[in-house]
Amino acid sequence: MSANVDDLFYGQLTAAVTPENEVELEEAYVQTLGLAPGVTLRAGRFYSGIGYLNSQHPHSWDFADTALPYRAMLAGQYGDDGVRLSWVAPTELFVEFGGEWLRGANFPAGGDGNDGQGVATAFVHLGGDVGPSHAWRVGVSYLQADVAERLSGDIDGDAPDAFRGDSQLAIADVVWKWAPQGNPKQTNFKFQAEYLWRAEDGEFTADVNSVAGVPVTDAYTARQSGWYAQAVYQFVPRWRIGARYDQVDTRELAAGANAALFNTGGWTPRRASAMVDWSHSEFSRVRVQWTHDRSQPDSGSEVRVQYIMSLGAHGAHAF
């Protein structure tokens, strides 16, 4: 649900029904209109503006699932309670600066650390046109999380393990679109790619690794990276094909007495996906996606069939 509150404010609420038959609040925020030239203030619960894919709702994704780096470093997608201030410069080239101050309740923060002020972000986006048929956007983003108590789940009924410390994430993204004379109705093409790099420093407490019943706590340092690249081509009206490759890598990992718990065996999680979808209208889409999944040593291939529908009025998606 979304509407202008009045001439100064706009509001939006998005809720989802989970597989557990529970209603989950995805976004609920108020945003200013005409606060100052190019300036927008948003407050409430919303998806962070970092990266390119993070702020998009799943129904607008070009694939049935998110990319591996987002799964590993943002638990799929980072949304939180807080405020965002952004400014679009009055220039011919699209230039946007933004920053957020967030509660830090979700991964990678994993807890309301620092008295509810656990995450800060900053991002810059640039974009423009190349002739009448091409458009582009590039961006860099940064997320800083003060991790108070990030739990990693229980193993065989044991208490959850926990990480405390500092988590930093940097993202670089690029998007290129093509449509003849800027009209995507007949045919169009989109390429997008993102590179994510994370550094974490702190201490890790492992309940499954205990001495005389006392969980072992030791220093923890990790450096990880990941990237994906995908291309989607609408070759005739209503029909699109797409391909995506994504992977994550461990660059450095030191966990002291808990090191054995993080042994990756030299494995590099990766996937390759292909999809074809058909849209009867802008409100209805059927998709078939094949994925060769090597995110774990015992994983294999899978096929997904997805139907996406939109009921009622629906605002235009972002670039």
Side-chain angles (χ1 to χ4, degrees):
M1 297 186 292
S2 62
N4 286 359
V5 179
D6 49 35
D7 61 323
L8 295 180
F9 299 100
Y10 161 87
Q12 176 168 314
L13 183 147
T14 304
V17 180
T18 71
E20 293 75 29
N21 296 321
E22 298 175 347
V23 177
E24 180 179 89
L25 190 63
E26 289 188 351
E27 292 191 301
Y29 62 82
V30 62
Q31 181 171 296
T32 61
L33 300 171
L35 181 66
V39 177
T40 300
L41 179 66
R42 176 181 296 187
R45 178 171 299 179
F46 50 86
Y47 289 131
S48 173
I50 59 173
Y52 178 71
L53 197 60
N54 190 77
S55 61
Q56 300 179 17
H57 286 271
H59 74 270
S60 64
W61 293 347
D62 292 317
F63 289 81
D65 54 358
T66 193
L68 276 180
Y70 272 84
R71 284 175 51 188
M73 301 182 196
L74 292 168
Q77 197 168 19
Y78 189 75
D80 207 346
D81 301 336
V83 295
R84 174 195 298 169
L85 182 65
S86 59
W87 175 63
V88 177
T91 57
E92 183 176 348
L93 180 72
F94 171 72
V95 181
E96 180 187 33
F97 297 91
E100 299 162 337
W101 192 11
L102 304 166
R103 182 181 178 189
N106 299 316
F107 189 92
D112 302 338
N114 212 15
D115 295 328
Q117 305 158 18
V119 168
T121 73
F123 53 83
V124 179
H125 299 138
L126 306 176
D129 297 325
V130 180
S133 302
H134 299 268
W136 60 275
R137 200 202 83 165
V138 297
V140 290
S141 309
Y142 176 76
L143 180 149
Q144 165 77 40
D146 180 9
V147 185
E149 193 79 8
R150 190 177 74 203
L151 304 180
S152 56
D154 58 59
I155 300 175
D156 297 328
D158 294 315
D161 300 330
F163 168 74
R164 291 169 294 277
D166 180 72
S167 181
Q168 301 177 68
L169 177 67
I171 306 176
D173 63 84
V174 59
V175 182
W176 186 282
K177 292 185 177 183
W178 167 83
Q181 299 301 309
N183 181 7
K185 184 174 180 59
Q186 299 297 319
T187 183
N188 63 78
F189 174 82
K190 179 172 74 169
F191 171 83
Q192 71 184 67
E194 296 188 66
Y195 178 83
L196 290 78
W197 181 86
R198 180 171 70 176
E200 294 192 322
D201 298 280
E203 60 180 23
F204 187 85
T205 300
D207 185 80
V208 296
N209 185 21
S210 60
V211 177
V214 179
V216 174
T217 298
D218 210 337
Y220 176 84
T221 298
R223 303 290 184 268
Q224 291 114 7
S225 65
W227 65 277
Y228 78 90
Q230 66 183 57
V232 176
Y233 176 48
Q234 179 178 302
F235 53 97
V236 294
R238 301 184 180 182
W239 286 92
R240 305 191 312 164
I241 56 174
R244 179 184 68 187
Y245 180 85
D246 48 348
Q247 75 172 48
V248 292
D249 300 276
T250 298
R251 301 295 181 183
E252 175 187 343
L253 201 156
N258 295 314
L261 299 176
F262 298 94
N263 181 21
T264 64
W267 187 258
T268 299
R270 60 198 183 277
R271 300 185 307 177
S273 303
M275 74 85 182
V276 56
D277 61 31
W278 173 76
S279 301
H280 177 64
S281 69
E282 60 182 304
F283 302 100
S284 178
R285 172 169 289 167
V286 179
R287 173 182 293 136
V288 177
Q289 177 178 315
W290 171 85
T291 299
H292 181 58
D293 189 344
R294 301 294 292 166
S295 58
Q296 300 183 54
D298 58 352
S299 52
S301 297
E302 64 179 17
V303 175
R304 298 190 185 192
V305 179
Q306 185 181 33
Y307 174 57
I308 304 170
M309 62 178 176
S310 298
L311 303 177
H314 189 72
H317 294 148
F319 179 82

